Amino acid sequence: MDCFDPSSALPLHLLRLISPSQPVGSFSYSRGLEPAVHAGVVHDEATASCWILGVLEHSYALLDGALFWRMAHALEQDDGAAFRSANAWLAAGRESRELELEDRRMSESLLRLLIDLGVKRASDPANVRLTYPASFALACAHWDVAPPTALRGLMWSVVEAQVAAAMRLVPLGHTSGQRILIASLPVIERAAGRAMTVSDDDIGNVSPALAMMSAWHEIQYSRLFRS
């Protein structure tokens, strides 16, 4: 007897989209974590967890997360103007040249993949210079991943990439990495909740430490990551 309930199915396409094997180059970026380690701000499991989860909840959620939420709903409503407006807002919020280039390169990689896979919206000439969250929203819309689930998946991918970077930079062991990932679950829930409810007037990214670390990384003598 077939007892499969489509409404409760795990969004397997989302697992593919957030997998580290997704060819977008996320492994090559640290999003300011490398200079934070170099400066001694992040130096063990506790400080790595504080940095990674703090940036997610107090910076990423209120800019990338909030605007991803709006872009995902704009795609559901086939509102191209609202989608591109939120994308432009997000692109204008990057606080350093490195963060802007990281976002653009990852987006370009994902868009090329989506075009090769036949995702029509990805080849729309109007959808140029997209941020990575915008390209991710296109992918999730194409494979019918609901916006709340897609938002949590996007946030998980950010945390997982940062933990992988911390394991190489601090360095941390695999057990420490797993503890941070486990600790991230309630933080992701809170961050997603904030992203889904924040008003337009409160969207913004005020993270001076992240901005300074990212800018310093541009002139750091020796480095493993591109940002």
Side-chain angles (χ1 to χ4, degrees):
M1 181 177 179
D2 187 359
C3 298
F4 176 69
D5 178 7
S7 66
S8 64
L10 183 68
L12 297 178
H13 277 300
L14 178 62
L15 298 185
R16 176 178 56 79
L17 290 170
I18 65 175
S19 168
S21 66
Q22 183 83 328
V24 296
S26 61
F27 64 88
S28 62
Y29 302 103
S30 80
R31 297 184 62 85
L33 181 61
E34 183 165 22
V37 173
H38 184 74
V41 175
V42 174
H43 54 83
D44 58 12
E45 179 183 332
T47 52
S49 181
C50 184
W51 176 275
I52 293 168
L53 302 185
V55 168
L56 176 76
E57 186 170 9
H58 302 295
S59 175
Y60 194 89
L62 296 176
L63 184 67
D64 296 65
L67 291 170
F68 171 83
W69 180 248
R70 285 156 174 77
M71 288 187 283
H73 280 285
L75 290 172
E76 278 193 328
Q77 298 161 11
D78 200 24
D79 189 341
F83 172 76
R84 289 185 288 274
S85 175
N87 172 71
W89 188 350
L90 180 53
R94 300 305 177 209
E95 292 184 297
S96 74
R97 178 176 177 272
E98 278 199 349
L99 291 175
E100 192 273 334
L101 287 175
E102 170 192 338
D103 188 52
R104 187 194 309 172
R105 288 165 178 160
M106 286 181 60
S107 177
E108 289 170 349
S109 297
L110 181 54
L111 282 175
R112 283 195 298 270
L113 175 64
L114 295 179
I115 291 170
D116 289 344
L117 293 174
V119 177
K120 292 183 179 179
R121 276 172 163 164
S123 58
D124 185 339
N127 292 331
V128 296
R129 297 297 293 270
L130 295 184
T131 59
Y132 181 73
S135 298
F136 190 83
L138 286 178
C140 289
H142 179 78
W143 281 292
D144 297 320
V145 180
T149 306
L151 175 61
R152 289 170 172 82
L154 178 63
M155 289 181 169
W156 171 265
S157 70
V158 170
V159 172
E160 187 176 32
Q162 286 275 275
V163 169
M167 290 171 64
R168 295 172 61 187
L169 289 167
V170 176
L172 299 177
H174 289 284
T175 302
S176 292
Q178 286 298 306
R179 278 195 290 260
I180 297 174
L181 290 173
I182 292 169
S184 77
L185 299 183
V187 180
I188 288 173
E189 286 298 322
R190 290 197 304 268
R194 296 187 74 186
M196 291 186 286
T197 57
V198 65
S199 69
D200 286 353
D201 289 341
D202 290 328
I203 292 176
N205 178 24
V206 181
S207 184
L210 176 63
M212 289 188 293
M213 292 298 175
S214 179
W216 290 338
H217 190 255
E218 294 183 13
I219 57 172
Q220 187 171 315
Y221 175 72
S222 176
R223 57 188 188 177
L224 296 176
F225 293 86
R226 298 172 71 180
S227 75

